[in-house]
Amino acid sequence: MSDDHPLFPPRPADEPESPLKGAHGTTPWPPDPSSSAAEGTDAAGSGRADPAAFVLPPVADTGPAPITVNRPEFFVNHADKIINETRKQGILEGPTLPRHRIKQEPIVREGQWAETWLQALDPAGLHPRKHVLIIVAPRSYGSTTLALHLLARHTDEDTDIVKLDADWKRPKVGWLPAEERHAYQVDLKDPDHDRVSADFLTMLEEHAALLEKLGSYLVLNVAKDLWTDHYIPVQSGIHVVHLNEPPPAQSVVEARLRARKAPGLIAYLRSVDKAKASLSRLDAVEAVRMADSAVLAWREHERLTDSSLPMDVPSSWSALDAGLVERITSALSDWRDKLDILFGETVSEHGGKATSLPLEDRCLLLALAVHQSAPMPVVAKAARDLQHTIGAGGNGFASTTSAAFAGRGLRRRVVDAGAGVGSQDQVVFEQPGYGRAVLTYVWDNYEVMREPMLKWLMSGEGSEANEHVVDAIAALILRHGNVDHLAQLGTQAFPVKEELLSALLVQAVQDEHIGRQAWGILYGWASGKERAATVVTACRQVLTSPDVTSSQARMAMVRLRRAANSGHESAWSEALKAFVEQAQHPAGVARLIAEVRAWQQSGRSRGAGTAAFLALMSVPGTTPWLLSDAVPSDLDVKRALQDLLGDFTTAPDAINRLTAWIRQSATDPGHYARIRDSLLPVLRGQKIFKASVSLMQALEHVSVDGETNAANDFWDRLVDPRVRSVIQLDRDPA
């Protein structure tokens, strides 16, 4: 039977149709007063008569209306502004940072930092020297902090400071925003996508002139290894400064302690010579971590000693607590001298002096470093698992039962490794700084151990250890600012625990140093069967984060779309769950609208667009959101519903949601009638006959206001009386 001939006879002339809002010029139902339409949106057609009272005749498609410019001089005078606003659809995005928040963050301007700061300013020291400033510095030196503070302190108060996310394949000036009174900052640190070319700098000179005209600024923070000594003309609008040293680590730690309302810890910091020695080798990022470690040590000391040591005021030298001094020394030490001994040439004696650890005790120490505190059997099993992973290649490392029994007991081994054992066999490893140092030491000094450690960590058991495990993995694989090991976790060689990997990915994409590269890995994984579901899980967590930025949300949606379009059923189902979560708030609804719009323009049969439309069918409210005036006019709701109902893979989900609409409206006959009359035109058609019957079967037990059976009502209106004796509804006997 041809698809051009309708299955049902023509509708009686006296039965009014109530069309859905779509792209065909039809009149929608007005939204219910209690609908969840976006606040501040004017209802199209407010004050009109009830659409049920009349039906507008279709208007012939005469093509787009001609554009008339009544004031050409107005258009010409504002051409620049119009061009800049139209560019917004294809440019970099990022969050606007509050100026006062930036100023509240600590910054140290000493040594070369003070010199670079002055070099970046004009001779009067009031504004940046040029409207495009390039800061070249090694990674982790804190150049981004310098840039943001420079903009916060030396641009006008009415200038918005925007931190852009460089989501591009290569630097392109056409992707850089240009709006009035804006100060933009962007990091270029991805070796695959952020290398600055001579052509880019040539175009950037023209962009600098545009920014000057708009009263705006741009700061590019370029990693030193991505910068070739490009020639920049002095007369151009670009100024380049080089930052070759990090700020003094001691000063950074002290400034961080003041910012965290713990200036009293500074006296402890200065009292420890070993801490000063270890701080001298740190870059800016490591110095900030050291300050946080000192605060953690202070709080841990108070918890364990049940004491209170106020640190919101400077401490006097005579009042220093000896126990806290020791704990802070431990937290700030890099432990290299001790670890050089413990991981020296293996010996079998364990006397009064510290000696190197045998293999099984090294595995135990790593297990303690990851788990921190856990029951002895958990730590023992983790150590055995690591030892088995190391010995899986036939190296003969695994201890036999007899050899293990002839050696020291677990309690003694735990104590020798630096931990304590409670009365209920609870291992307590009270030195988180030491544990992190152990992991880092092994990672840096035993390259052959990196892959076995990753396999061991990613296949660990026990959800209670997940937070510690994720932190441990992140500290190792993100240590040197690259994502090689993160990408390795996506291969089939790793027995990955999915929740660990997704949590790790969330940390990675939010890391300011390797976030861009991590997003790139997710993009590649999204189309593969092995990791698509993991990508969806990670993107869901990013989208539900209260601190998600617009650019992060956009990148997460791109990867959700790619996973849903991959053709893998599990990925599509997981993407649908993520989209349903997005449908619960206005920002998410806007993202879903964009997905549906792209789907209908592409003509794709099934993928992210269908999942997004199904999610929009779940937008909360007494009136289905898709039947309200809040729906953009370029979304064809009728066509989308028919596409979903005509596809056997999506029809069940669509029917379930339509049933929920009708069931929810069953207590209000008027509300029910509006929904029913909107759906009737959708349900007519040969391709969706089976879906229409399935919907009516699902409505068998839905009663409208306790009187009308919804299934019978739809049947009587959809099926012509002349064929009802031939085509009958299969009633549910239940």
Side-chain angles (χ1 to χ4, degrees):
M1 183 179 294
S2 171
D3 291 344
D4 296 333
H5 295 83
L7 176 67
F8 300 115
R11 177 186 199 79
D14 59 348
E15 185 176 345
E17 287 198 13
S18 196
L20 290 165
K21 183 170 184 174
H24 301 297
T26 52
T27 306
W29 288 113
D32 187 273
S34 57
S35 69
S36 58
E39 185 176 344
T41 303
D42 295 330
S46 55
R48 297 176 303 185
D50 188 341
F54 61 90
V55 178
L56 292 178
V59 180
D61 186 4
T62 58
I67 298 176
T68 303
V69 180
N70 294 322
R71 295 178 58 193
E73 74 285 355
F74 178 86
F75 178 83
V76 172
N77 292 338
H78 292 75
D80 286 345
K81 185 173 182 180
I82 293 173
I83 292 172
N84 289 334
E85 290 183 351
T86 22
R87 291 177 72 237
K88 291 182 181 179
Q89 294 184 353
I91 63 174
L92 303 183
E93 298 177 339
T96 300
L97 305 181
R99 184 182 299 267
H100 70 281
R101 292 282 181 85
I102 298 175
K103 291 181 178 180
Q104 289 173 356
E105 291 296 319
I107 184 173
V108 174
R109 282 186 281 167
E110 300 177 13
Q112 204 216 344
W113 268 55
E115 298 174 8
T116 303
W117 185 280
L118 292 177
Q119 292 172 7
L121 298 177
D122 58 24
L126 299 177
H127 296 94
R129 187 177 296 267
K130 298 291 180 66
H131 284 265
V132 172
L133 174 66
I134 298 177
I135 303 178
V136 182
R139 303 171 190 273
S140 302
Y141 271 32
S143 65
T144 301
T145 298
L146 186 148
L148 292 175
H149 278 266
L150 189 76
L151 294 175
R153 288 169 166 78
H154 292 284
T155 58
D156 296 335
E157 290 293 328
D158 59 349
T159 299
D160 291 335
I161 301 175
V162 181
K163 181 173 175 55
L164 300 174
D165 290 313
D167 186 23
W168 50 25
K169 292 184 178 180
R170 59 184 175 86
K172 297 177 66 175
V173 172
W175 284 55
L176 294 172
E179 297 183 72
E180 289 183 325
R181 296 194 176 278
H182 277 69
Y184 304 103
Q185 185 275 328
V186 59
D187 289 319
L188 302 184
K189 298 179 180 179
D190 187 337
D192 297 324
H193 304 294
D194 289 342
R195 293 191 180 275
V196 176
S197 65
D199 291 340
F200 172 78
L201 293 174
T202 300
M203 297 296 296
L204 195 60
E205 292 185 35
E206 299 179 11
H207 188 71
L210 174 60
L211 291 176
E212 182 177 4
K213 183 178 179 181
L214 296 172
S216 297
Y217 296 89
L218 169 67
V219 180
L220 301 175
N221 290 88
V222 184
K224 187 174 182 179
D225 56 296
L226 304 182
W227 176 262
T228 307
D229 290 331
H230 297 285
Y231 172 71
I232 305 294
V234 177
Q235 67 273 15
S236 71
I238 304 174
H239 183 56
V240 181
V241 296
H242 292 263
L243 189 63
N244 298 318
E245 298 176 3
Q250 182 87 16
S251 300
V252 173
V253 174
E254 293 182 7
R256 179 75 172 179
L257 292 177
R258 293 188 187 96
R260 296 200 60 178
K261 311 298 183 185
L265 290 176
I266 295 176
Y268 286 86
L269 184 73
R270 294 176 177 176
S271 70
V272 183
D273 291 337
K274 290 183 179 179
K276 290 183 179 180
S278 63
L279 287 176
S280 64
R281 297 189 294 265
L282 302 181
D283 58 33
V285 174
E286 291 171 330
V288 170
R289 291 172 181 164
M290 278 295 185
D292 294 340
S293 296
V295 174
L296 179 63
W298 159 47
R299 292 175 177 170
E300 185 75 2
H301 180 73
E302 287 190 329
R303 184 182 67 82
L304 294 174
T305 60
D306 196 22
S307 60
S308 177
L309 299 173
M311 292 296 166
D312 54 349
V313 294
S315 300
S316 62
W317 291 96
S318 60
L320 297 185
D321 182 275
L324 183 54
V325 169
E326 181 179 357
R327 190 173 293 277
I328 289 180
T329 302
S330 172
L332 301 187
S333 173
D334 59 16
W335 298 95
R336 292 181 185 178
D337 294 339
K338 179 177 180 178
L339 293 174
D340 282 340
I341 296 174
L342 293 180
F343 288 90
E345 187 176 352
T346 304
V347 298
S348 57
E349 297 179 0
H350 288 270
K353 294 184 178 180
T355 58
S356 61
L357 299 175
L359 175 69
E360 58 269 20
D361 285 1
R362 297 184 185 197
C363 293
L364 178 63
L365 181 56
L366 287 173
L368 290 170
V370 172
H371 287 264
Q372 300 292 315
S373 298
M376 283 183 66
V378 173
V379 176
K381 183 180 184 306
R384 288 197 306 272
D385 289 344
L386 175 57
Q387 192 170 346
H388 175 73
T389 302
I390 296 173
N395 296 323
F397 283 153
S399 300
T400 63
T401 303
S402 59
F405 186 56
R408 294 164 299 133
L410 181 59
R411 182 182 296 270
R412 172 64 187 276
R413 291 173 57 207
V414 167
V415 173
D416 287 343
V421 182
S423 58
Q424 298 181 344
D425 285 341
Q426 181 81 7
V427 176
V428 181
F429 197 65
E430 298 176 355
Q431 304 176 80
Y434 177 47
R436 181 60 57 84
V438 169
L439 292 169
T440 302
Y441 184 92
V442 173
W443 185 266
D444 289 346
N445 289 277
Y446 298 92
E447 185 177 357
V448 70
M449 277 292 296
R450 293 180 181 178
E451 184 172 329
M453 283 178 66
L454 288 178
K455 288 183 178 180
W456 169 63
L457 289 168
M458 295 304 297
S459 60
E461 297 181 0
S463 58
E464 70 280 358
N466 280 359
E467 181 179 354
H468 294 305
V469 171
V470 170
D471 290 342
I473 301 172
L476 296 177
I477 68 174
L478 309 181
R479 176 169 168 74
H480 298 298
N482 62 63
V483 293
D484 294 344
H485 292 288
L486 181 62
Q488 192 178 13
L489 296 179
T491 64
Q492 295 182 354
F494 282 83
V496 176
K497 196 172 184 181
E498 291 295 332
E499 57 266 35
L500 288 180
L501 181 56
S502 60
L504 177 62
L505 290 169
V506 172
Q507 277 204 22
V509 298
Q510 294 176 340
D511 185 276
E512 63 174 310
H513 302 287
I514 57 91
R516 285 270 317 291
Q517 300 173 68
W519 279 118
I521 289 176
L522 262 66
Y523 186 83
W525 287 0
S527 60
K529 183 177 181 180
E530 295 78 13
R531 293 286 175 259
T534 304
V535 171
V536 173
T537 302
C539 291
R540 286 178 67 179
Q541 294 180 37
V542 171
L543 286 169
T544 54
S545 170
D547 301 324
V548 62
T549 65
S550 59
S551 57
Q552 288 174 342
R554 178 171 52 83
M555 288 187 282
M557 289 296 292
V558 166
R559 283 140 188 87
L560 284 175
R561 178 194 311 144
R562 187 169 169 83
N565 291 341
S566 66
H568 306 306
E569 180 60 33
S570 59
W572 186 88
S573 300
E574 291 301 314
L576 174 58
K577 295 177 183 177
F579 288 163
V580 169
E581 291 175 351
Q582 291 297 295
Q584 308 310 304
H585 54 87
V589 169
R591 296 167 192 147
L592 296 176
I593 290 173
E595 293 300 323
V596 175
R597 184 181 289 116
W599 165 53
Q600 293 197 319
Q601 291 173 354
S602 68
R604 193 182 183 97
S605 59
R606 183 171 185 256
T610 57
F613 190 86
L614 285 170
L616 288 175
M617 295 179 73
S618 304
V619 174
T622 54
T623 295
W625 181 84
L626 285 169
L627 304 186
S628 72
D629 277 348
V631 181
S633 59
D634 60 342
L635 291 191
D636 193 336
V637 176
K638 177 180 178 181
R639 172 188 147 200
L641 283 173
Q642 289 180 329
D643 287 344
L644 292 176
L645 292 171
D647 186 338
F648 74 94
T649 58
T650 55
D653 289 310
I655 290 171
N656 288 339
R657 284 163 170 76
L658 292 177
T659 303
W661 286 2
I662 298 169
R663 191 183 302 276
Q664 185 178 2
S665 68
T667 57
D668 184 343
H671 189 193
Y672 162 79
R674 287 194 295 271
I675 294 177
R676 177 202 63 200
D677 293 344
S678 296
L679 293 179
L680 288 176
V682 175
L683 298 173
R684 293 191 174 91
Q686 176 182 339
K687 290 184 177 180
I688 59 172
F689 169 67
K690 184 176 180 180
S692 300
V693 174
S694 297
L695 173 64
M696 288 182 277
Q697 290 174 338
L699 298 175
E700 175 65 21
H701 300 290
V702 177
S703 175
V704 181
D705 201 25
E707 298 180 359
T708 305
N709 180 273
N712 292 337
D713 189 29
F714 272 83
W715 179 260
D716 292 341
R717 294 174 182 274
L718 283 173
V719 182
D720 188 88
R722 292 169 291 179
V723 297
R724 289 177 188 171
S725 59
V726 179
I727 304 176
Q728 297 185 3
L729 182 63
D730 184 13
R731 306 289 185 178
D732 185 353

